[in-house]
Amino acid sequence: MPTSQRTLNRLFVLHSWAGIVTGLLMFIVCFSGAVVVFKNEIDLWANPSLAGLPRSEPPAPLDTVLAQLQARYPGATVETIALPDDVNPNYFAHVRERGAPASQRTKVALRSDTGAVVGPVDSQLGQYLRMLHVFLFFGPRWIVGFLGAAMLVLIGTGIVIHRKIIAELFTQRWGRSFRVMMSDLHKSAGIWGLGFHILIAATGAWLGLAPLFEQGTKYVMTSGAPAASAARKPPPTAEPAPMQSLDALYQSAQQAVPGLQARYVSLRRWGTTAAEASFTGALAGHLASTARVDMNAATGDAKKTLDPRTAGFWSLVNGLMEPLHFGDFGGLALKWLYFILGMTPAFLSISGTLIWLDSRQQRRREAQQQRAGVQGGLRA
């Protein structure tokens, strides 16, 4: 059944205003998202001294890395250790030094062959770009998730408005007015990148909004049972205790989740009976990127595991969202593809705004001409 002209006009208004209201933030998020696929490469480019360090296979033991950090920063808290990957040949660690504010961390680079501390990282440009894309630096992630939902609205209304999609694939009228040329470019970019735009919008909306819905669901489900929270026992007092080998803990984590390739190791309450070491990373031969094992660092027992392969359908879907959104699972060629296609929604936000502004100016000029014609007729 063909869509009525009245419905098309309403969808056009919705499409226009959704683009105008979100245009600036959409451009920032899409542009930074296209660039951030090269986050690791950007960090190396911004720190050329690190790119020249040797790569070691296998890398130095985690115990050696931790010992080097504790020797270089006595009394500091080692919170996270990032293992070498396909791009970065080095270890990285986030350290909170003694006396530093709770929110201040020092990012430290270490050699992968010896575990020796190189020193604080000079630039974190890649991480800043990721923070801009994911959180707009300091905002909650649901704002970016909302932009993903808005992008889906723009895609849906755009598909209905431009019904002659196949015909418009190769339509570009270069010799016409600015608005016509820009409109053709806007349509072509939207059509050629349609599948990618749907993927990025859907995964972005999921990553930003799914945690919000999950928290809301938990609140609704537990709001009627206040006794449960009242009966919750306080955590036991943490006493000093010897720690298990970090490398042995990693081996136990790989036994708990076969195929785990840890990218990060997070340490909490290290040196006490309540110490934990969490290993987070990808799964060998699997796209899901949210595998994690929490180990009791004092006893060596696995406390909690997250394996998307066995955690149910929705957990598997959630584990696929981030690699599909950032394109970090297929090597350099896929990153370039994500970068090129990722620039198209940034262009769409600019071109759509320019088309809207030019259209308003055109209507304003036509209204002025009509008023001038009416006034001229009255004088005659």
Side-chain angles (χ1 to χ4, degrees), residues 359-371:
S359 177
R360 283 177 62 88
Q361 291 177 355
Q362 179 65 27
R363 289 195 297 269
R364 191 178 296 113
R365 287 193 295 266
E366 292 174 353
Q368 290 174 351
Q369 291 173 359
Q370 289 178 357
R371 286 195 297 269

Side-chain angles (χ1 to χ4, degrees), residues 36-86:
V36 85
V37 298
F38 295 110
K39 173 187 176 297
N40 292 334
E41 289 83 355
I42 290 172
D43 278 335
L44 280 183
W45 171 79
N47 299 277
S49 61
L50 300 180
L53 294 177
R55 180 186 296 273
S56 177
E57 293 293 345
L62 287 168
D63 290 324
T64 300
V65 172
L66 181 58
Q68 295 275 9
L69 287 167
Q70 291 172 335
R72 181 67 172 268
Y73 298 95
T77 301
V78 179
E79 296 190 346
T80 308
I81 299 174
L83 282 71
D85 59 20
D86 294 337

Side-chain angles (χ1 to χ4, degrees), residues 74-317:
T77 301
V78 179
E79 296 190 346
T80 308
I81 299 174
L83 282 71
D85 59 20
D86 294 337
V87 177
N88 285 312
N90 315 298
Y91 277 104
F92 291 103
H94 283 92
V95 177
R96 181 161 57 86
E97 299 186 59
R98 178 184 293 175
S103 60
Q104 181 177 321
R105 307 290 185 273
T106 301
K107 185 177 181 180
V108 180
L110 304 95
R111 294 174 62 107
S112 65
D113 53 351
T114 64
V117 175
V118 177
V121 174
D122 296 326
S123 173
Q124 299 188 54
L125 179 58
Q127 181 62 24
Y128 289 145
L129 288 171
R130 184 179 176 92
M131 290 292 291
L132 174 62
H133 176 69
V134 176
F135 300 106
L136 292 172
F137 279 134
F138 302 109
R141 194 169 188 175
W142 66 260
I143 296 178
V144 179
F146 169 77
L147 291 175
M151 189 173 173
L152 287 174
V153 172
L154 290 167
I155 293 171
T157 54
I159 290 174
V160 177
I161 293 168
H162 305 296
R163 291 167 293 176
K164 299 179 181 179
I165 290 180
I166 303 301
E168 291 175 344
L169 278 174
F170 305 97
T171 300
Q172 184 57 56
R173 294 163 288 183
W174 293 109
R176 303 291 291 276
S177 67
F178 171 81
R179 181 155 60 94
V180 171
M181 289 190 297
M182 190 59 65
S183 179
D184 288 343
L185 286 172
H186 186 84
K187 295 173 186 177
S188 297
I191 295 169
W192 282 105
L194 181 60
F196 179 81
H197 298 160
I198 294 174
L199 172 67
I200 292 300
T203 53
W206 179 284
L207 290 170
L209 298 178
L212 195 65
F213 286 118
E214 183 179 1
Q215 293 172 7
T217 302
K218 287 182 178 179
Y219 177 80
V220 172
M221 296 296 292
T222 59
S223 61
S229 59
R232 189 177 300 153
K233 296 181 180 180
T237 303
E239 301 289 343
M243 296 291 95
Q244 298 285 324
S245 161
L246 203 52
D247 293 286
L249 291 172
Y250 185 19
Q251 292 178 1
S252 298
Q254 290 178 314
Q255 292 175 0
V257 177
L260 173 66
Q261 297 175 335
R263 181 68 186 92
Y264 300 98
V265 184
S266 301
L267 307 180
R268 292 181 295 277
R269 300 178 295 276
W270 193 257
T272 71
T273 53
E276 292 183 0
S278 297
F279 298 87
T280 306
L283 296 168
H286 201 277
L287 188 57
S289 64
T290 55
R292 172 172 169 161
V293 180
D294 296 342
M295 303 291 298
N296 186 313
T299 65
D301 297 328
K303 297 181 62 177
K304 184 179 180 181
T305 63
L306 174 61
D307 187 343
R309 298 167 299 188
T310 59
F313 175 75
W314 289 114
S315 179
L316 178 60
V317 170

